[in-house]
Amino acid sequence: MKKFIITIIILLSAIQLQAIEVSHKQIEFFVDHTAQNVTGICNEIQIDNPNLQSFGGQYRLRSPFEIKIPILKITSGDSGRDSHMHEILGSPEFQVIHIKVESINQSKTNLQIYAIKGKLTIRGKSKEFVTDANVQVLESGLLHVNGTLGVKFSDFELENPTLLFMKAKDVIQVKYQFDLRMK
């Protein structure tokens, strides 16, 4: 019984709940069009504090958290195009794109890769997603997270943007980057 208690104490001391500060956050959107490719960017993302647990160099999500992307803060450098993009995404009725991160699991073959699962909601329509994120430890307590996610206009019943009477491809490539400082 004494060995069992000592083992439990050792295991519990190795598991650390981490307070997290998000020091950098950026999401880029790439739309492929025959006439012109378009890049949108948003740096004003709202992120709930992720409740992560560190155990032996691995990170686990203890509870889901949300990310909100304010639609009017997504810009491409062209105000007319931005206005149309905001309209396609549901503004003014819908103000944000919601992401609910439900799980984060480390790859068994590449320890820098984590599978992130959750739900993406655009214009009130939700779809489950899975994306692989590359997680690098840059310095003690600083994690750099980046990855990509393909999102289809058709999955969310969104209008494909047109230019010169030609529609953009159905898939938007979303690239995300976050720096998380463990406190």
Side-chain angles (χ1 to χ4, degrees):
M1 181 69 167
K2 192 174 184 181
K3 285 183 182 182
F4 177 73
I5 292 172
I6 291 171
T7 303
I8 295 295
I9 290 171
I10 290 171
L11 284 174
L12 289 176
S13 66
I15 297 173
Q16 299 172 357
L17 294 179
Q18 301 287 317
I20 304 214
E21 173 190 336
V22 181
S23 59
H24 172 77
K25 49 195 171 191
Q26 180 176 327
I27 295 182
E28 296 179 23
F29 304 86
F30 301 97
V31 179
D32 190 2
H33 190 279
T34 306
Q36 179 181 9
N37 294 332
V38 176
T39 301
I41 190 167
C42 184
N43 293 315
E44 297 186 38
I45 303 156
Q46 302 159 5
I47 302 176
D48 290 348
N49 191 8
N51 186 359
L52 291 180
Q53 181 179 45
S54 173
F55 180 74
Q58 295 183 13
Y59 299 94
R60 293 196 176 114
L61 186 63
R62 291 189 41 90
S63 59
F65 69 96
E66 287 194 11
I67 299 171
K68 296 174 186 166
I69 303 168
I71 291 172
L72 294 179
K73 299 297 181 177
I74 300 170
T75 61
S76 69
D78 180 308
S79 62
R81 179 175 48 226
D82 292 349
S83 177
H84 185 63
M85 175 177 49
H86 298 157
E87 182 182 320
I88 288 171
L89 293 171
S91 181
E93 181 181 351
F94 298 94
Q95 296 296 309
V96 295
I97 296 169
H98 287 271
I99 302 151
K100 184 173 185 180
V101 176
E102 297 174 337
S103 70
I104 298 174
N105 295 302
Q106 189 175 36
S107 167
K108 291 179 183 7
T109 57
N110 184 341
L111 300 181
Q112 285 188 314
I113 303 295
Y114 284 77
I116 299 174
K117 295 181 183 181
K119 287 188 180 157
L120 172 63
T121 303
I122 303 173
R123 287 188 83 142
K125 185 161 184 67
S126 296
K127 290 284 183 181
E128 292 185 0
F129 72 87
V130 176
T131 178
D132 285 340
N134 185 337
V135 178
Q136 298 173 320
V137 179
L138 298 179
E139 56 187 64
S140 180
L142 181 64
L143 302 176
H144 179 71
V145 179
N146 68 67
T148 59
L149 174 67
V151 178
K152 291 185 176 184
F153 285 105
S154 58
D155 283 349
F156 295 91
E157 300 174 5
L158 301 175
E159 167 194 336
N160 283 40
T162 58
L163 179 64
L164 302 173
F165 305 104
M166 295 178 283
K167 290 188 178 222
K169 291 187 179 177
D170 191 39
V171 176
I172 305 163
Q173 288 299 319
V174 181
K175 181 179 177 183
Y176 54 89
Q177 296 179 11
F178 301 103
D179 286 343
L180 309 173
R181 180 159 307 278
M182 311 303 264
K183 294 181 177 181

